[in-house]
Amino acid sequence: KLGELARAAGENAERFRIAFNTIPDAVSISRLSDGVNVAVNDGYCQNSGWGQSDVIGHTSLELGLWVDPALRTKLFEGLRADGYVRELEVPFRRRDGSVFAAVCTARVFEVGGERYFLTVSRDITGQRRAERAQAAIYRIAEAASGRGTLQQMLAEVHGIVATLMPAPNFYIALHDAATQTLSFPYFVDEIDPAPPGPQKMGRGLTEHVLRSGQPYLLNDEQQFRSLVEQGEVEDLGAPSVSWIGVPLRAQDRTVGVLAAQIYFGDTRYDPRDTDLLQFVSTQIASAIEKKQAELALRANEERFRALIESTSDGICLLGVDGAIHYSSPMASQMLGYARGEVLANIASLLHPEDAAAIQLKLREALDRPSVPVLAQGRVQRKDGSHAYIEGVFTNLLHESAVGGIVLNLRDLTDRKRMEAQLMMSDRMASVGILAAGVAHEINNPLAYLVGNLALLEEGLGATPAGEPWREALHAAQEGAERVRQIVRDLKTFSRADEDRPLPIEVHRVLDAAANIAQNEIRHRAQLNRRYAPDLPLVLVSEARLGQVVLNLLANAAQAMPESGGGNIDLIARATATEVIIEVRDTGAGIRPEHRARLFDPFFTTKPVGVGTGLGLYICQQIVGSMGGAISVESELGKGTTFRVALPIAPGTAERPAPGRTLADPAVQGSRILAIDDEPQIGTVLKHTLKAHQFTAVTSAAEALERIRGGERFHVIICDLMMPQMTGMDLHAALLREFPDQARRMLFLTGGAFTARAQNFIETVGVPHVQKPFEVAAMRNLVAERLAALG
């Protein structure tokens, strides 16, 4: 039995030895205590380049196999702690100095009281190389889809190739079959300068690859000399120690050559580099053709776009249903929309009174391809106002390059307005002459009417007998005063103000006007006077300013229901350059369609017999003659605010403008975070925003860790495109984790985007600034963001 056991043990040992040496992976058995190898298989020797006698009795560290000794330490720590290590990816160095990637799995076992570990290492260099090549194909396709120039795309391609193989010197030559020339859209070389423009075909290595249509690897000077002696090539350029070139093929034709070379050192290209470069060359050729076609198309588009966008007429492209697919900047401007803002449908823009006639013209154009059809009418701007437009519809639906109805627009609003103003001027001149005459004629009887009423009041005295008539007398005097006011308005309408402007105190005029209007107001609303202290003086006519305020107060009172319960606020405040007077009421408000005409002469929304339609027109003329401006804000059902702005009198004290500035402690010293992979940008921003607590970092990942660590910032200035983690990635992370911080971001961008970056800017709506930025503009933008976000 002992013999049988011994024989069986020997057979098992032989089977183990055969299996051990047959495994193609590298297998070793080593002592755990000191790492000395006690057994290795043939695969180990083949992969490492060391023989059995070199390995047994030595450690892998002594053999120099570990490129990174820290990984060996990690292996031993795992084995001692857990007894095994799985799938540890390690770079190893062969005996000849070359490096290969391997994945190692090791497990501890015990024999005779001694602990050993068995390690199986699989060479994954080819696998990783294939993975990198596939990734390179994807990245090259992505680079071709970018919006940069051909030079920028090829620079990206160079960077991608450099991740696969050494490429310190790299160029791409494109062949023009019509002119038999070579051009070099991309050329990076440590010694030779870039060729100046297209070159006639010669007999260099580049042309050799182009003519043969086959890749070529050169590592031997004698090999090159042999080509020269055969007349295949000429000795051109600086000699290199290793050169590799592959043809660029697209659609079964060779369009150029991709080449890399090494001038210095011991590194040499090998057939694997040739295969790799040939593998990616087809994608590179395709990317070049795609980029060239894209650039040609973009150039044509830019030429036509420049032509369309530089015309003084607006141009729109319509669908069959009238949907606006494109509007030129001038067309958008005519209609009050921002550049690039989408306009829905031509029908939604038409004035109701003109819609039927214009749509009839559109249908006519649909029935008459290529025939221009003229139309005129009013369209509604975005702000609700109307423009008078002359348009020409041309049906080019049948043209494949256009595929729509072209609408040429010309804004006739100013011309129509000038015509109306000329008509109004003639009318107003006649009315002015009439008003002056009417005022003169009315004033004569009015003078003695008022005088006689005064005499009657004196005659009545304080006797009880006169009491029943006193109320009637006061009513007559009030009526006479109103007639005099109307006549004075007519005189203002007919001639310029003759009152001499003087520096006056605004609150005194406001009080006088309020006192006069009190009788009109008291039964309808509560009058609240709110004047800022120490108002500066304004240079105006006291009487004329009083007339304006009185008119506005009277209008506010008449906007209130007679049942009372409303409020009128009379407000005075100052900015750095102006005194602002506001009359606010809580009345019914003004309809949007009436606001644009409020200051037109003879326009009134009051019932017949209540208003002349001259009050606000005269107010506007008076305020304008004083160098000021009058405006209105109103909301239906909530009330109206009339605002008069008058310049401060020269030489008087000025009040500072309200609101925060960079000097305001509430804004100054805010926490600002700048993120840019260029440290110099952070330095510039630091000096620009020195009034604040400023922090600059060079990676989005670091910024995210700071915020995760509890730091908070009032404004975050971030570069859009950065390595590893982009500004877009940071914004997305902050939206998920810290939305308040995401809301405080604004972006810096160099302008060369990817499609993703372009879409991000257009859709997310985060503020962005083009590099290079102006210092003053940046400070203002930060101040605005701080003021807006608090």
Side-chain angles (χ1 to χ4, degrees), residues 20 269 508 603 753 755:
F20 184 74
Y269 295 123
R508 186 160 53 85
F603 176 78
F753 301 125

Side-chain angles (χ1 to χ4, degrees), residues 642-679:
F642 280 93
R643 185 173 295 108
V644 175
L646 297 169
I648 293 173
T652 62
E654 295 183 352
R655 293 176 59 82
R660 301 189 300 186
T661 65
L662 286 177
D664 189 334
V667 175
Q668 193 177 34
S670 298
R671 287 178 57 79
I672 310 294
L673 174 64
I675 311 159
D676 199 299
D677 57 329
E678 289 289 344

Side-chain angles (χ1 to χ4, degrees), residues 303-333:
R303 280 194 291 269
F304 283 108
R305 185 177 296 276
L307 179 64
I308 291 172
E309 295 187 353
S310 63
T311 61
S312 57
D313 289 351
I315 298 177
C316 294
L317 187 64
L318 313 180
V320 177
D321 58 352
I324 300 174
H325 299 312
Y326 167 80
S327 64
S328 70
M330 182 56 69
S332 297
Q333 180 181 325

Side-chain angles (χ1 to χ4, degrees), residues 4-21:
E4 291 177 359
L5 290 174
R7 187 171 55 259
E11 290 174 354
N12 285 337
E14 179 62 16
R15 282 196 291 271
F16 173 79
R17 185 189 66 78
I18 294 171
F20 184 74
N21 284 311

Side-chain angles (χ1 to χ4, degrees), residues 563-608:
S563 58
N567 281 286
I568 297 175
D569 294 333
L570 182 57
I571 302 168
R573 54 186 175 83
T575 69
T577 59
E578 295 177 322
V579 171
I580 308 296
I581 300 168
E582 292 181 351
V583 178
R584 299 180 183 174
D585 67 62
T586 56
I590 303 169
R591 298 178 66 83
E593 62 267 26
H594 292 158
R595 290 177 203 159
R597 301 187 59 197
L598 279 180
F599 298 103
D600 291 351
F602 302 111
F603 176 78
T604 180
T605 59
K606 298 175 184 177
V608 177

Side-chain angles (χ1 to χ4, degrees), residues 233 320 352 574 628 635 695:
V233 300
V320 177
E635 187 173 352
T695 302

